[in-house]
Amino acid sequence: MRWPDPGLTDTLFYVTTDEDEPCVLYLHGELDLDSAMVLTAVPFDIRRDRPTVLDLTDLTFCDSIGLAALIKVRRRVVEELGHLVLRHPSPPIRQLLRVSGLAPVLPISDDSEGYS
């Protein structure tokens, strides 16, 4: 299942996986005011035995509102006793996480499975 339909937006879509796989949300393009509202509204399953993965491979930009959205998603996952991992952020996004001080609370993984 994909939500929202990738034909309707190129910013973000969600891909569910079977119960043996992590929940993965793929972010594309820019994470700014409009897409941050979509990200924080996306319905997704939080699993305690598998991480929730934000795949940032195709994320090209993130501003302070986008960072706030990442923190909101993290809070939602942690409240459900889950674990959030950012997968494949670009060097500029990694730098933004370091400079903002969020790198310790938003773990990064380059593993294809998304585990840190």
Side-chain angles (χ1 to χ4, degrees):
M1 177 181 128
R2 295 175 187 236
W3 187 96
D5 183 333
L8 300 177
T9 177
D10 63 353
T11 303
L12 174 129
F13 67 93
Y14 163 56
V15 176
T16 59
T17 57
D18 65 44
E19 292 185 17
D20 295 330
E21 299 293 325
C23 172
V24 181
L25 291 91
Y26 293 88
L27 281 67
H28 299 269
E30 299 182 355
L31 186 54
D32 54 15
L33 178 61
D34 293 332
S35 57
M37 290 190 304
V38 173
L39 175 61
T40 57
V42 167
F44 60 89
D45 297 323
I46 298 168
R47 300 184 185 118
R48 294 180 185 165
D49 62 335
R50 301 275 184 229
T52 298
V53 177
L54 294 181
D55 189 305
L56 307 182
T57 303
D58 296 320
L59 187 67
T60 59
F61 173 81
C62 181
D63 62 13
S64 60
I65 295 171
L67 288 175
L70 294 176
I71 293 299
K72 285 181 185 177
V73 170
R74 180 191 177 275
R75 184 178 305 130
R76 180 174 162 193
V77 170
V78 169
E79 285 174 357
E80 295 291 324
L81 303 177
H83 176 68
L84 180 71
V85 175
L86 305 182
R87 182 168 64 191
H88 303 298
S90 67
I93 301 294
R94 286 175 190 265
Q95 179 65 14
L96 178 63
L97 293 169
R98 278 192 296 270
V99 169
S100 67
L102 294 175
V105 295
L106 293 170
I108 295 172
S109 173
D110 289 313
D111 179 5
S112 63
E113 296 297 318
Y115 297 92
S116 57

